[in-house]
Amino acid sequence: MHGEIMIIEASGLIIDLDLQYINQFKNIENYKVLKKPNFYLKSINESIQYQYKKLEIKTAFYHLYDTNLGKLQIQYNDNIPIGEILYQDKTIIIIPLIKEFNIEYLLSQYAFVYWIRKYTNGIFIHSSSINYLNNGILFCAKSGTGKSTQRRIWEQYGNAICINDDKNVLIFNGKDIEISPNPWSGKHFKNTNLKTKLKSIVFLKQAKENKVEDISKAKAFNMLLNQIQLPSKENEETWNKNIDNLLELPIVLFECNMDKEAFITLKKELEKRGVFDEIKG
Amino acid sequence: MKLKDNSMLKKIGNENIILPLSDHNIAVDVILKTNEVGAFIYNCLKEEITKEELLNKILAEYNVDKTKALNDLNLFLDLLTKKGLL
């Protein structure tokens, strides 16, 4: 039943990936490495018998329990349990209750994001990212606003490369912020294993005419809050510093349409703000 | 009373935002936005303090009417309790 066990490097984590539907995981081979893993992600077929101790978190999407075997997350879709995630520190076991690749993919992504918060100096951010002449740009917006559309326009007219179309990890080294690639990238499975320095964040809003507006740090933070991974007890201090460094970047609100003009306008406005400076110099 | 260690205050410009701390993704509705006085109260609550002491600190720091200050304080403490932060 199981696919091949694969060792991958994703956002700096070396993960032993033992998934049932790995053959359907597009682009995963691009992250393969010959390194000793530190993290173990295993997908199993049968549910485990737990002794429940306490319900700790209850949201519309999941319940989190403390159990005798570790923290257990039960994932729901329209009140139907679709999968379980058992967190045992650097080993995470996932159990797709609906036997489909999509469910396993979702559960494995949760595991990955958990490790990012716990074991890296990184922040996960819901966004689409591109590498344009070695400059990293993040497109941020609520789902359905057009992140992938702007990404596509930049690929088409600027020969930009998509780093990750939906799930980006930013790794912080002081003011140097890197978009650190990983294979989990939402419904389009669009990602490239290409580390890129982050130079700017662009919030998107659909409009008829293209217009770029600078926004305050407070406004940018408020907009980011819906898209980023929040701090934990362990990383509160570094998270705080990382956010301050992130807010030092040029951040704009881009009211845009889906035409070539959107690319031309944004490119010109980012140029004005020095986003591509190192390339010129 | 005292804050639990499950939240942090982030100050950006004039904005004060209270964020939950968790190893897991939790609903964004736990995030609270507050004003300068709220941030002052939040910081006082990092150490064990009684409501009376807290009220006196607010009256010493800000030029506000005692009844209004107490009303606002009660509302804010209720909110922190409801969100599971106090």
Side-chain angles (χ1 to χ4, degrees), chain A residues 2 32 34 57 62 71 77 80 82 92 105 130-131 136 147 167-168 199 213 226 230 250 261 267-268 274 280:
Chain A
H2 266 251
K32 249 174 146 176
L34 293 168
I57 300 174
Y62 74 88
K71 303 280 180 193
N77 192 357
I80 298 162
I82 56 168
I92 295 180
Y105 181 67
I130 53 162
N131 172 311
K147 293 189 289 292
K167 318 275 181 223
N168 283 284
K199 301 292 283 291
E213 180 192 327
N226 295 315
L230 294 173
E261 201 57 37
K267 182 172 166 278
K268 200 168 103 194
K280 283 184 194 162

Side-chain angles (χ1 to χ4, degrees), chain A residues 37-145:
Chain A
N38 312 104
F39 297 88
Y40 297 85
L41 181 53
K42 190 176 170 64
S43 171
I44 62 172
N45 218 349
E46 297 286 322
S47 191
I48 302 171
Q49 290 301 313
Y50 314 94
Q51 288 167 17
Y52 291 88
K53 289 181 183 165
K54 194 182 158 203
L55 175 64
E56 294 193 340
I57 300 174
K58 190 175 176 182
T59 77
F61 304 106
Y62 74 88
H63 297 173
L64 186 82
Y65 295 91
D66 191 19
T67 78
N68 60 322
L69 299 175
K71 303 280 180 193
L72 172 72
Q73 179 173 333
I74 303 179
Q75 201 68 28
Y76 289 86
N77 192 357
D78 288 336
N79 293 321
I80 298 162
I82 56 168
E84 297 177 354
I85 308 170
L86 182 65
Y87 296 94
Q88 296 181 320
D89 200 27
K90 293 187 177 179
T91 296
I92 295 180
I93 296 165
I94 58 176
I95 306 139
L97 299 175
I98 294 171
K99 307 296 171 196
E100 278 177 18
F101 164 72
N102 284 345
I103 303 297
E104 186 182 72
Y105 181 67
L106 176 77
L107 300 175
S108 61
Q109 178 196 297
Y110 263 99
F112 171 66
V113 169
Y114 172 84
W115 283 328
I116 288 297
R117 170 158 26 203
K118 197 147 188 181
Y119 290 103
T120 71
N121 189 19
I123 295 180
F124 169 82
I125 177 163
H126 178 221
S127 55
S128 183
S129 61
I130 53 162
N131 172 311
Y132 174 71
L133 304 173
N134 281 329
N135 300 289
I137 298 166
L138 284 188
F139 294 115
C140 268
K142 285 180 194 150
S143 297
T145 307

Side-chain angles (χ1 to χ4, degrees), chain A residues 207-225:
Chain A
K208 282 188 180 152
E209 300 295 324
N210 296 303
K211 193 180 130 201
V212 173
E213 180 192 327
D214 289 304
I215 52 176
S216 71
K217 285 183 184 179
K219 189 170 178 188
F221 181 68
N222 273 308
M223 292 171 89
L224 274 175
L225 272 179

Side-chain angles (χ1 to χ4, degrees), chain A residues 57 62 64 73 87 110 114 117 217-218 221-222 225-226 231-234 236 239-240 243-244 247, chain B residues 5-15 17 19-28 31 33:
Chain A
I57 300 174
Y62 74 88
L64 186 82
Q73 179 173 333
Y87 296 94
Y110 263 99
Y114 172 84
R117 170 158 26 203
K217 285 183 184 179
F221 181 68
N222 273 308
L225 272 179
N226 295 315
S232 70
K233 282 176 199 172
E234 288 79 20
E236 175 185 348
W239 187 91
N240 201 7
I243 291 293
D244 287 340
L247 293 174
Chain B
D5 62 348
N6 62 356
S7 68
M8 69 174 279
L9 177 71
K10 179 84 185 136
K11 208 175 163 64
I12 294 177
N14 293 327
E15 298 234 5
I17 298 141
L19 299 166
L21 299 175
S22 172
D23 281 346
H24 297 267
N25 295 323
I26 43 185
V28 180
I31 293 171
K33 284 176 194 163

Side-chain angles (χ1 to χ4, degrees), chain A residues 145-154 165 204 257-258:
Chain A
T145 307
K147 293 189 289 292
S148 297
T149 305
Q150 290 304 315
R151 178 265 296 161
R152 210 173 300 128
I153 291 172
W154 277 71
D165 199 33
L204 302 174
N257 59 32
M258 298 174 358

